[in-house]
Every structure is written in structure tokens, then in C-alpha cells.
């Protein structure tokens, strides 16, 4: 408020200075207008606010020191093997492999009967021999060719009955046999073939 009053006073004084002064009247005595000017001292300005307290000094951020791990140490070298002078079976060189055995020489095979043909075509029991209860054993001598066929069939030993011998010869001529082999090759040869006649087999 003091400042506002001071500004108002100074403004008023400034306006008064600018207004033209009227000339004094000759006859009338001029009345002196006494203006009392009182200078009012402006109130002292308010004290400035206290300065803010100084900020504490900022601590620098801690330095992060990365610890470098030392490289792992290599494992200790194994001790050298102990060399012994004792000879072992493993230390001696293996003997060279034996050469392969030569192939066995072919075995000579004699001519023989193929049993499967006897089963397929058995000898017929003659009706007369059945009626008269004739039994016996016929031994046949068969000349077998290289293809297994019977080239010649003869009675080496008779059964004692002609009808039994003839039946055995007739059956053997329809059979196939196993030819003999010599040095791996088939050859023609003889084979003895027994033929039994028994009434219990009927």
C-alpha cells in the first residue's frame, strides 16, 4: 500500500506540472495556494526469502568392476605309463593265419535206390501168392544208368516163388535210382535192391 500511495502522489505531481499555469490577475490579489508535500518514505522492501539450502553433493555412482575369471587350469597330465619288461601273450606278435585247407577230394558214391519211388509204386502182391500164403525176399541186381534209370534188372537171389520174383522185377523197372558218382561225376553201375513180400503188409 505504501508503494501504491507513492506512485499516486508522484503521478499527481507529474500532472500538476503539465497543467498550464493561469496568469495572475492584476487587481485581485492572488492567493497563494500552499501545497504541502509530504514525502512518505516507502516501507522497506520485505526481506528476501532465505536462500535454499545447498544441495548435498551427489555421490558419484559406484563403479561396477567386473571381475574377470581366470581361465580354468588344464587338468594335470596323467603320469606316463609304467613300462614293464615282462613279456605277455599280447606283446608277442600273433602267428600268421594258417592257409585255408585244400578242398576235400570228392567222395565216391555207389549207385543206390531212391526210396520215394518204391513208396509211390510198390510191388504188387500176386493174388496166387496171397491165396497160397507165399512170402519171401527177392534180391534184385539193377544196372543204373548215369541218369538214374534202370537199364537192366535181374534176380540176384530168388524168394523161392516165381510169381514174387516176377512182381519185384516188374516194379523195379518203373523206379528211378541214384546214380553212382566218382570224382564228382555220375557213372553207370550196379546196385543190389532187396524187395520183401509179407502178408502182414497187405
Amino acid at each position: 500500500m505504501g508503494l501504491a500511495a507513492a506512485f499516486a502522489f508522484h503521478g499527481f505531481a507529474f500532472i500538476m506540472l503539465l497543467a498550464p499555469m493561469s496568469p495572475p490577475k492584476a487587481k485581485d490579489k492572488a492567493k497563494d495556494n500552499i501545497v504541502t508535500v509530504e514525502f512518505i518514505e516507502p516501507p522497506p522492501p520485505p526481506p528476501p526469502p532465505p536462500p535454499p539450502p545447498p544441495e548435498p553433493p551427489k555421490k558419484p555412482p559406484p563403479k561396477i568392476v567386473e571381475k574377470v575369471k581366470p581361465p580354468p587350469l588344464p587338468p594335470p597330465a596323467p603320469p606316463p605309463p609304467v613300462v614293464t619288461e615282462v613279456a605277455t601273450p599280447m606283446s608277442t606278435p600273433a602267428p600268421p593265419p594258417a592257409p585255408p585247407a585244400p578242398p576235400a577230394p570228392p567222395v565216391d558214391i555207389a549207385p543206390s535206390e531212391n526210396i520215394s519211388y518204391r513208396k509211390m509204386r510198390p510191388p504188387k502182391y500176386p493174388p496166387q501168392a496171397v491165396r497160397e500164403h507165399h512170402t519171401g525176399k527177392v534180391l534184385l541186381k539193377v544196372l543204373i544208368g548215369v541218369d538214374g534209370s534202370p537199364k537192366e534188372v535181374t534176380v540176384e537171389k530168388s524168394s523161392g516163388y516165381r510169381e514174387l520174383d516176377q512182381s519185384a522185377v516188374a516194379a523195379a523197372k518203373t523206379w528211378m535210382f541214384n546214380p553212382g558218382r566218382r570224382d564228382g561225376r555220375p557213372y553207370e553201375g550196379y546196385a543190389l535192391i532187396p524187395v520183401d513180400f509179407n502178408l502182414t503188409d497187405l
Side-chain angles (χ1 to χ4, degrees):
M1 293 178 65
L3 288 175
F7 286 137
F9 176 76
H10 286 85
F12 178 76
F14 183 71
I15 292 173
M16 291 298 293
L17 290 175
L18 292 179
M21 296 179 65
S22 62
K25 295 180 179 181
K27 292 181 178 182
D28 297 332
K29 291 183 180 178
K31 291 181 180 180
D32 295 331
N33 293 326
I34 300 171
V35 178
T36 303
V37 178
E38 293 181 2
F39 293 94
I40 301 173
E41 293 183 0
E55 295 182 358
K58 294 182 179 180
K59 294 182 179 180
K63 294 183 180 180
I64 301 174
V65 180
E66 295 183 359
K67 294 183 179 181
V68 179
K69 293 182 179 181
L73 297 176
V82 180
V83 179
T84 57
E85 300 295 334
V86 180
T88 60
M90 298 298 293
S91 62
T92 57
V107 180
D108 295 343
I109 302 174
S112 61
E113 179 189 359
N114 191 337
I115 303 298
S116 60
Y117 282 90
R118 184 194 288 243
K119 291 181 179 179
M120 290 187 297
R121 300 170 185 175
K124 295 181 180 180
Y125 215 110
Q128 181 182 353
V130 174
R131 289 193 302 267
E132 298 179 1
H133 301 282
H134 293 168
T135 60
K137 181 177 182 179
V138 184
L139 186 61
L140 302 177
K141 184 178 181 180
V142 183
L143 177 61
I144 301 172
V146 293
D147 58 350
S149 61
K151 287 193 167 185
E152 181 183 332
V153 180
T154 58
V155 177
E156 180 72 13
K157 184 178 180 181
S158 175
S159 63
Y161 301 99
R162 182 179 178 184
E163 65 273 15
L164 296 181
D165 296 345
Q166 289 177 349
S167 179
V169 171
K173 287 182 178 180
T174 63
W175 298 341
M176 291 294 292
F177 299 86
N178 299 319
R181 289 186 173 274
R182 184 180 295 119
D183 296 333
R185 296 181 179 180
Y187 69 94
E188 188 178 288
Y190 287 94
L192 297 177
I193 309 299
V195 180
D196 289 333
F197 288 93
N198 196 335
L199 293 176
T200 58
D201 297 335
L202 295 178

